[in-house]
Amino acid sequence: MGNVFVVMKPVLHGIMKAIGMTSELVEIEPGTTMHFWVPTDQTVHTTKPAVVFLHGFVANGIMTWLFQMFSLRTYFAVYVPDLLFFGDSISDRPERSTSFQAHCLAKGMMKLGVEKFSLVGLSYGGMVGFKLAQLYPHMVESMVMSSTVIELTESISNASLNNIGFTTWDEFLLPKTIFDLKLLLSIGSHNFPWFPQILYMDFLEVMFGNRKEKVELLKAFIVSDKDATPPKYTQRIYLLYGDDDKIFNQTVSDIMKAKLGENTTVEYIKRAGHLVQLERPRTYNRCLKKFLSYSSAYGNM
């Protein structure tokens, strides 16, 4: 039969086309290309607020944000990139930092003709998003951050790994067996649903390529405590978490709220874990629409 995720790819492209989304490769510079899901109507960002969704470390953009793409496309100009070394995004440059990801994203959005947008970031994508807002504050109007931290300091990293029973992030986030993948998904969720065994094997084959580069990304995103200097953000920030996030728990998110200051609000979705946008999509999307609509109407507060 073949890998189900490969077989379904043209079907998924057809569904995306039917809802007004298309796949586009954007050359950031020679040797560096980013893949984006973008509105088929290239001018839609002039009539609707633009929103950029940044995925986590386990899957690409469409696998992470499919429910949100379907739900929010009517109200917003939705852009969903694959970060470098995920999906169809690739680079021959040696840089692996969140800053490099952020620079490439900014260039990609400018090449798409979009220079102002709100950000929605999950986990690793949230860290890239915080860096993007720091480096390009004129581009980022507001942020919704889920299951993430401003930057992964050594102390947060060590505490989080200890909580989930791992010694390194690549051991946890780059599974090699079906057992490892099931453990990853069970830790990442409140109550992960049952799937046939074959789907796990197909997911392993498709979603965990570029292992060497991803190990380097994981090493590059840890910051020493003495070098951690959270910037002051001018944007309105909405922290939207699952109340059963085992990786970045409520202690971590409450500390983040305190560091980010009065422009930041935090909300917890019940019966959801780290993968909150997949576990409770209806509740998550309702919260997203409310915040993003308010931010679009009133701008930064």
Side-chain angles (χ1 to χ4, degrees):
M1 176 182 172
N3 189 297
V4 67
F5 295 100
V6 175
V7 172
M8 289 298 294
K9 189 173 182 178
V11 177
L12 189 57
H13 278 245
I15 294 171
M16 290 296 103
K17 183 178 179 180
I19 67 168
M21 299 285 292
T22 190
S23 173
E24 187 160 337
L25 289 172
V26 178
E27 185 181 60
I28 307 303
E29 60 185 44
T32 299
T33 301
M34 293 196 80
H35 172 260
F36 289 79
W37 286 99
V38 303
T40 304
D41 178 359
Q42 299 291 326
T43 65
V44 70
H45 66 275
T46 63
T47 58
K48 296 180 182 179
V51 182
V52 177
F53 288 83
L54 303 180
H55 62 82
F57 210 87
V58 173
N60 59 17
I62 196 167
M63 289 292 294
T64 303
W65 299 115
L66 186 61
F67 293 137
Q68 288 66 47
M69 293 167 73
F70 273 96
S71 180
L72 273 74
R73 63 181 173 80
T74 303
Y75 311 96
F76 302 93
V78 172
Y79 295 82
V80 182
D82 290 335
L83 296 172
L84 292 172
F85 307 111
F86 297 85
D88 294 324
S89 297
I90 199 69
S91 177
D92 61 6
R93 293 276 295 272
E95 290 91 342
R96 300 290 183 263
S97 66
T98 55
S99 295
F100 183 59
Q101 294 271 22
H103 285 308
C104 291
L105 273 168
K107 291 177 183 177
M109 291 304 295
M110 285 187 277
K111 289 197 172 193
L112 290 168
V114 184
E115 297 189 0
K116 280 191 176 296
F117 48 82
S118 292
L119 275 177
V120 181
L122 176 80
S123 197
Y124 176 65
M127 299 175 214
V128 174
F130 273 122
K131 185 61 67 172
L132 180 60
Q134 176 190 351
L135 298 173
Y136 297 89
H138 60 287
M139 297 187 76
V140 179
E141 296 183 305
S142 63
M143 293 184 275
V144 180
M145 295 302 186
S146 295
S147 314
T148 193
V149 291
I150 305 168
E151 53 188 354
L152 190 64
T153 62
E154 288 177 335
S155 56
I156 293 176
S157 175
N158 292 337
S160 296
L161 285 170
N162 184 63
N163 287 342
I164 60 176
F166 285 84
T167 55
T168 65
W169 287 106
D170 56 281
E171 180 188 8
F172 174 56
L173 291 172
L174 293 173
K176 295 178 180 178
T177 68
I178 290 176
F179 175 84
D180 294 340
L181 177 58
K182 287 182 176 180
L183 182 59
L184 165 63
L185 294 174
S186 67
I187 291 173
S189 59
H190 172 71
N191 185 20
F192 198 79
W194 177 88
F195 285 115
Q197 194 87 341
I198 186 65
L199 286 184
Y200 289 103
M201 181 58 70
D202 289 353
F203 193 86
L204 272 175
E205 290 178 0
V206 170
M207 292 297 164
F208 296 98
N210 298 322
R211 283 181 175 266
K212 173 181 177 293
E213 291 84 358
K214 286 178 179 176
V215 169
E216 292 166 354
L217 289 176
L218 290 171
K219 290 179 180 177
F221 77 175
I222 298 177
V223 179
S224 68
D225 289 317
K226 62 182 178 62
D227 294 332
T229 52
K232 297 291 183 181
Y233 293 101
T234 58
Q235 299 91 346
R236 293 185 67 245
I237 302 171
Y238 183 33
L239 304 178
L240 185 56
Y241 284 67
D243 70 346
D244 188 29
D245 191 327
K246 303 175 185 69
I247 300 169
F248 298 128
N249 58 29
Q250 291 191 27
T251 300
V252 173
S253 52
D254 286 342
I255 291 172
M256 273 184 59
K257 166 68 171 67
K259 287 182 177 180
L260 290 168
E262 60 183 16
N263 281 349
T264 303
T265 56
V266 61
E267 184 170 352
Y268 297 98
I269 294 177
K270 293 181 179 179
R271 300 184 302 281
H274 194 75
L275 301 174
V276 57
Q277 87 293 351
L278 292 176
E279 287 194 278
R280 301 293 304 280
R282 291 180 64 183
T283 302
Y284 188 87
N285 294 347
R286 185 170 62 249
C287 294
L288 267 189
K289 288 176 187 175
K290 182 178 179 181
F291 175 81
L292 293 173
S293 297
Y294 180 85
S295 297
S296 301
Y298 295 102
N300 296 337
M301 300 295 286

